[in-house]
Structures are given as C-alpha cells and as structure tokens.
Amino acid sequence: MTRPAWDWRLSDLASVPQNGLTVFSCFACGGGSTMGYKLAGYTVLGNVEIDPQMMRIYQQNHSPRFTFLMPIQEFKLLPDSELPPELFNLDILDGSPPCSVFSTAGAREDKWGAEFAFREGQAVQRLDDLFFDFLDVAEKLQPKVIVAENVKGMIVGKARGFVSLILSRFREIGYRVQLFLLNSATMGVPQKRERLFFIAARNDQPFPALKLEFNEQPVLYGEIRSGEGKKINPDSATYERWQKKRPSDLNMGDVTEREEGKTSNFNTILLKDQKVANTLASSSVFLRVDVPQHISERDAIRIQTFPADYDFLDTDVQYVCGMSVPPLMMQRIAEQIHLQWFK
C-alpha cells in the first residue's frame, strides 16, 4: 500500500531521482525547505544558520557539505576566496528571512526599525533588515534563481511599503521577480498555512513567467491524527474553558469572549477531525476538541509534513516544525521551477 505524501521518511530520499540542480539555503532552521528541494530531486549543498541549536539539528538530519554557523550579516561579508566555488554557480539560492516583525499578530509596527532579542538565534537584531541582507548574498553569489519565503503579513497594511523596497532591490541586483501567495492546504499539506513566496530569475535566464496553481484535495486532521496528546490539566482555567466550548467554537478565544467578556486565547485552536488544521506556529496551542488533550508530537510532525524519522535531538518538536517551511509545500514549488524553467 502506498503511503500518503505527508507520511514519509528521510530514508525515502535515497530513491528520489536527481535532477542535477543545486541549492544553497539561508536561514535554514530545521531544514523544511531543504527537505522539500531534496524531495523534488535537487542537491542542497549547504546552509547558513545563526542558531547553534538549529544548526546541530540541521547537520544531524541533512549532512550538509558546506555549512556556516553565523549571522547572515557576517556571511555576506566573507571574502569570495573563503567560499566554495560551487556557491558561485548555484541554480537556486533559497531563504526564509525571520519574519515575526511582519506577523499580523500584535502591534507589529512597534518592532519595525528597532532591535529586539528575538527567538531566532537568540540574538539581538533588526529582523526587518534581514531580507535585504539575504539579497546582498544573492548579489554576491548571482544564482540563476532566488526563492524567498515569508509571511502573508508582508502584503497587509503598512508592511506593503517594505515589499516595494524589496522588489526594487531585486531589480537593482539584476533579477525579475514574481510574488505568489500560496496556501499549503492546496498543496497536499494537512494545514492551512498561507505564505508569500518571492521567486526571481536572473535577467540573463530565458525563463517564461512562472505559473503556480495548486488544487490538491485537502487533508483533514482526522486523516493524520495519531497517538495520545498531553492531557489538559483538570485544575487549570484552560480545562474549565474547554468544558464550556460549543460545536461552533473555533478556538478558546471564542469561549473566553463569550463566557468572560475577554479577548484572549485566540491562539489556542480547537482542532476538529473534519477540519484542516490551522497554521502550526512555534507558539500556537492545538487542543483536540473531542478529548481534553493537546495534539500529539506525531500530529505536529505530520501537520508540518516533516519526516517520521526526523531527529529533533533535545529540541521542542513544535518549535522546530513551526519555524520551518513545510517540506511538501516547498517540494511542490521546486518541482514546478524545475519543470517550467530548467527542464
């Protein structure tokens, strides 16, 4: 019996036909994008990552040839002589610049242009600059294609000004760029995760306009549900609210607003078997609606389409998954780039 696409193993990569194309990944985190490219037949040469913990996990699971544990700001300043020549002949430069300052949750504008000790790499930095640092790397390496992923919030409200600046920078360094807002639920991922993708071709590449249209059958939570989750503490306020939920409630915020007149807990999702899971964020909470339990770690792995044999070492499973691009989402994109541009 053939396993569904979301139920896969790192060991499956050994049987994937190779397409001869190379990728280098910036802000690699746990390697969600890396696994997507590998599933599509690409060779991922290595990565840049600021977080030592994430780097250990990346090396454990992906065995990169070239790996750089440093901020992107330092990597872009390395002399060409200190970089492997393969990086100057890349097919794709991939990157997911940390994006929490563009999230639509909270007073995000308060963080723009200021330095904060963000969780990404436990470093004090300006996250709204990192996309431009990434493009400086692209200018240095001159890959044929650039793929950058970010949150939908970049095209909402005042953040659109940042997007205009980013598009201008793409053009300045010699690339023509397209924007795609994609929902992973249409791409075989058991999760409603909307993400913005900047996909750019170097001006000397004779590629037509890329078309990305996905309409796969949604994968419901009940199809991937597995194992026992951590029980909700029966003495907690969460348990009391969980008991007061109604069939129409989508999250604990609905309960809190109705029962207590407070606007809070909207990030605690009530997950139903007949629904597609919401975005798995590193800080979100998913509760099963039919039993007083959190989802299981195996659920989180499947929702994010990480492989069943991924070694998380001593790191929180949901944090690694929530910070990463779903491998299956990137696989679908990488396949189309290969078919429409390189094949």
Side-chain angles (χ1 to χ4, degrees):
M1 180 178 177
T2 303
R3 286 186 269 119
W6 49 261
D7 183 17
W8 69 285
R9 314 286 184 273
L10 282 171
S11 55
D12 296 339
L13 295 174
S15 60
V16 174
Q18 298 299 290
N19 60 26
L21 302 174
T22 60
V23 182
F24 186 75
S25 185
C26 302
F27 315 102
C29 196
S33 290
T34 289
M35 291 183 282
Y37 287 110
K38 288 183 176 181
L39 284 168
Y42 293 71
T43 298
V44 181
L45 297 175
N47 70 314
V48 179
E49 173 58 48
I50 191 177
D51 189 333
Q53 187 179 46
M54 291 298 110
M55 182 62 91
R56 286 193 299 112
I57 296 171
Y58 190 94
Q59 291 175 324
Q60 175 72 14
N61 289 277
H62 309 303
S63 302
R65 283 179 59 194
F66 309 116
T67 186
F68 299 85
L69 177 60
M70 61 180 63
I72 193 78
Q73 298 94 332
E74 292 182 15
F75 177 76
K76 74 178 186 180
L77 297 177
L78 290 177
D80 292 358
S81 59
E82 293 184 16
L83 296 175
E86 290 90 337
L87 298 192
F88 293 93
N89 192 32
L90 288 172
D91 293 299
I92 296 180
L93 178 68
D94 167 78
S96 296
C99 51
S100 55
V101 290
F102 295 113
S103 171
T104 54
R108 59 184 186 153
E109 286 90 347
D110 293 343
K111 297 178 180 178
W112 293 351
E115 291 188 337
F116 289 85
F118 292 96
R119 174 64 178 83
E120 291 94 339
Q122 302 89 38
V124 175
Q125 53 185 331
R126 282 180 51 169
L127 296 197
D128 43 329
D129 283 348
L130 294 182
F131 207 120
F132 297 99
D133 293 321
F134 171 67
L135 291 180
D136 289 344
V137 173
E139 184 178 30
K140 178 187 184 74
L141 300 180
Q142 287 291 300
K144 295 183 181 72
V145 172
I146 304 168
V147 178
E149 176 260 2
N150 221 292
V151 293
K152 178 184 177 181
M154 286 195 78
I155 54 172
V156 175
K158 296 178 181 178
R160 286 178 292 185
F162 281 98
V163 173
S164 295
L165 294 174
I166 289 168
L167 296 178
S168 295
R169 182 62 179 144
F170 268 106
R171 290 190 288 269
E172 284 176 4
I173 65 173
Y175 288 81
R176 56 190 189 278
V177 60
Q178 295 176 250
L179 264 63
F180 299 92
L181 181 61
L182 301 174
N183 189 331
S184 66
T186 68
M187 304 166 76
V189 178
Q191 175 187 172
K192 293 179 290 187
R193 188 186 194 95
E194 284 190 299
R195 286 296 182 266
L196 187 67
F197 286 85
F198 296 76
I199 303 181
R202 204 171 63 204
N203 285 337
D204 65 345
Q205 299 299 306
F207 299 147
L210 188 67
K211 296 180 181 179
L212 295 180
E213 297 176 355
F214 303 99
N215 192 28
E216 295 190 37
Q217 184 74 21
V219 182
L220 308 181
Y221 173 59
E223 298 177 53
I224 61 99
R225 178 172 172 167
S226 178
E228 293 292 312
K230 178 184 176 182
K231 294 181 180 179
I232 302 173
N233 184 346
D235 297 323
S236 67
T238 298
Y239 185 82
E240 183 179 348
R241 291 166 182 147
W242 185 88
Q243 288 185 307
K244 295 178 180 179
K245 68 187 181 308
R246 296 177 181 175
S248 59
D249 291 335
L250 300 177
N251 52 62
M252 294 299 282
D254 292 337
V255 180
T256 304
E257 190 172 39
R258 180 178 63 248
E259 301 290 334
E260 304 171 30
K262 300 177 182 177
T263 54
S264 61
N265 296 312
F266 287 98
N267 202 34
T268 301
I269 308 300
L270 293 167
L271 205 47
K272 305 174 184 180
D273 284 355
Q274 67 273 27
K275 298 287 187 180
V276 178
N278 291 49
T279 299
L280 182 78
S282 59
S283 59
S284 60
V285 178
F286 282 177
L287 303 178
R288 290 171 171 172
V289 75
D290 55 340
V291 289
Q293 295 177 357
H294 295 256
I295 63 171
S296 67
E297 284 191 348
R298 191 179 302 173
D299 285 349
I301 291 167
R302 290 180 169 184
I303 286 171
Q304 197 68 9
T305 66
F306 263 54
D309 58 349
Y310 189 93
D311 188 352
F312 291 88
L313 298 177
D314 56 352
T315 308
D316 180 74
V317 169
Q318 183 171 328
Y319 177 76
V320 177
C321 289
M323 291 292 290
S324 303
V325 179
L328 216 61
M329 188 179 201
M330 186 56 79
Q331 178 190 358
R332 297 293 186 260
I333 295 169
E335 287 171 341
Q336 290 305 310
I337 291 174
H338 173 224
L339 289 172
Q340 296 183 41
W341 281 0
F342 288 105
K343 194 173 182 181

